Amino acid sequence: SPQRRPAASILREMLEDPDKILVCPGVYDGLTARIALDQGFDCLYMTGAGTSASRLGAPDLGLISLTEMHANADMIASLDPSVPLIADADVGFGGPLSVARTVRKYIDSNVAALHLEDQTLNKRCGHLQNKQLVSQDEFLSRIRSSVMARKESGRDIVLIARTDALQSLGFEEAVKRLKAAIAEGADVAFLEGFFTREQGEEICRIMAPTPCLINVVAGGVTPTISAAEAKALGFKVMIWPILSLTEVFNATKRAMKELKETGIKEPVPGGSGGIRDIFGVCGLKECADFDKKAGGSAYSN
Ligand code: PYR
């Protein structure tokens, strides 16, 4: 069979397309990833906040481990290897050796890109208050370690340097950190939690030609803007981390409430989301076809 093209190479080609902004819906499990793939997105984003909420039932406070984040990224990246996955790697889960291990594991799973940030080990969601930062030197040791691990692997992964410094140290310091991270070999700049369109435009202008990422979080501090507007500001990558989380939260809560209060959850008239729709988006037909070809009969449609 032909050699599979690494997801990082597919992502790099997209990043180099001058006319493109990559719009990445946040997914956190197999089903949300399948729905995004079914809608034809050409790049996905694995949210750490969503992974923490769905796998641990815990808030995004640095509780989740490398093993859990990697297992989620591994599964999501495997669903359609032709669609690159950008995955959260928080602070890299420890010192330089741990960061290198994280990068190797993500590379092994054909994850196209990861982001590493400059918060302390007990990090928190970038849109919460009172974030604690490590020094620039410590941040750079994380980036350097990831660049070294990538080089030693002989393979590729796009490294996204994220700074959370804007909140406590201001714009200049945040820019300094991002520039230093790019000088160490990171590929994409991620200014977390900026407040205005002007700051967004400014970061893209200052970092050019380095591609910049914008993170749009419902209820977060960055304005919710469209992909077209983000592109006009100069961004190359746009992530919507809690897109599926919010929808699942609202819809599930509504359904639970209805069942609790009335003792029945009526199907939505004419609505989708029955068992066949769900199995269908997860590849029921492909599984049945495969099974049949292999001489099985258990899953014939
Ligand atoms: C998250 O979704 O957890 C981010 O860090 C953006």
Side-chain angles (χ1 to χ4, degrees):
S1 68
Q3 193 79 20
R4 188 179 70 190
R5 189 169 168 212
S9 147
I10 302 171
L11 179 60
R12 282 194 194 279
E13 192 176 295
M14 291 176 182
L15 287 172
E16 277 159 23
D17 182 342
D19 298 322
K20 198 170 174 70
I21 178 161
L22 271 169
V23 180
C24 313
V27 301
Y28 58 83
D29 65 2
L31 181 61
T32 52
R34 286 289 198 192
I35 294 168
L37 292 169
D38 188 54
Q39 288 299 312
F41 282 95
D42 53 13
C43 189
L44 305 185
Y45 175 70
M46 186 194 87
T47 159
T51 302
S52 184
S54 63
R55 287 178 96 94
L56 306 183
D60 187 13
L61 296 175
L63 290 159
I64 198 146
S65 68
L66 167 59
T67 307
E68 292 153 334
M69 285 277 267
H70 170 252
N72 212 27
D74 179 74
M75 179 272 292
I76 294 170
S78 76
L79 295 176
D80 185 345
S82 71
V83 176
L85 176 68
I86 299 176
D88 194 348
D90 285 346
V91 304
F93 307 98
L97 296 172
S98 296
V99 173
R101 180 165 176 255
T102 299
V103 171
R104 281 184 214 112
K105 290 189 85 66
Y106 279 44
I107 289 176
D108 283 346
S109 295
N110 195 36
V111 171
L114 59 77
H115 62 77
L116 280 171
E117 72 213 27
D118 57 356
Q119 293 196 59
T120 55
L121 198 51
N122 59 341
K123 57 85 39 102
R124 50 180 52 208
C125 165
H127 293 247
L128 294 177
Q129 294 304 305
N130 300 321
K131 291 185 282 183
Q132 312 280 307
L133 299 177
V134 295
S135 67
Q136 176 168 309
D137 280 349
E138 193 170 342
F139 176 45
L140 294 183
S141 78
R142 289 176 187 164
I143 302 295
R144 202 172 300 126
S145 169
S146 57
V147 171
M148 285 165 65
R150 174 175 65 185
K151 186 153 187 245
E152 280 174 14
S153 77
R155 288 181 291 162
D156 196 15
I157 189 162
V158 174
L159 297 171
I160 303 171
R162 160 173 155 177
T163 184
D164 286 73
L166 181 65
Q167 185 189 77
S168 60
L169 302 178
F171 191 78
E172 298 297 311
E173 183 65 22
V175 166
K176 202 167 124 250
R177 287 177 174 225
L178 288 178
K179 286 206 153 173
I182 298 302
E184 288 291 348
D187 306 284
V188 176
F190 176 179
L191 175 65
E192 175 60 309
F194 67 82
F195 299 95
T196 63
R197 286 170 171 75
E198 290 68 34
Q199 275 176 338
E201 191 162 35
E202 182 75 350
I203 196 68
C204 293
R205 192 183 59 73
I206 293 174
M207 296 308 298
T210 298
C212 289
L213 178 152
I214 175 170
N215 177 19
V216 177
V217 176
V221 300
T222 303
T224 300
I225 64 175
S226 69
E229 196 180 353
K231 184 171 175 240
L233 294 178
F235 288 99
K236 280 304 299 179
V237 186
M238 184 177 213
I239 60 172
W240 295 79
I242 68 164
L243 181 96
S244 0
L245 266 185
T246 304
E247 295 300 313
V248 167
F249 176 79
N250 288 327
T252 306
K253 196 169 153 183
R254 208 181 310 118
M256 296 277 181
K257 195 162 183 283
E258 185 180 330
L259 177 62
K260 184 80 177 17
E261 285 174 358
T262 67
I264 184 168
K265 169 68 185 76
E266 296 284 3
V268 180
S272 65
I275 203 83
R276 286 210 161 254
D277 295 326
I278 292 165
F279 294 166
V281 87
C282 289
L284 178 66
K285 185 177 181 310
E286 293 74 9
C287 288
D289 289 349
F290 187 100
D291 183 68
K292 200 167 168 193
K293 205 168 163 191
S297 57
Y299 303 109
S300 52
N301 247 323

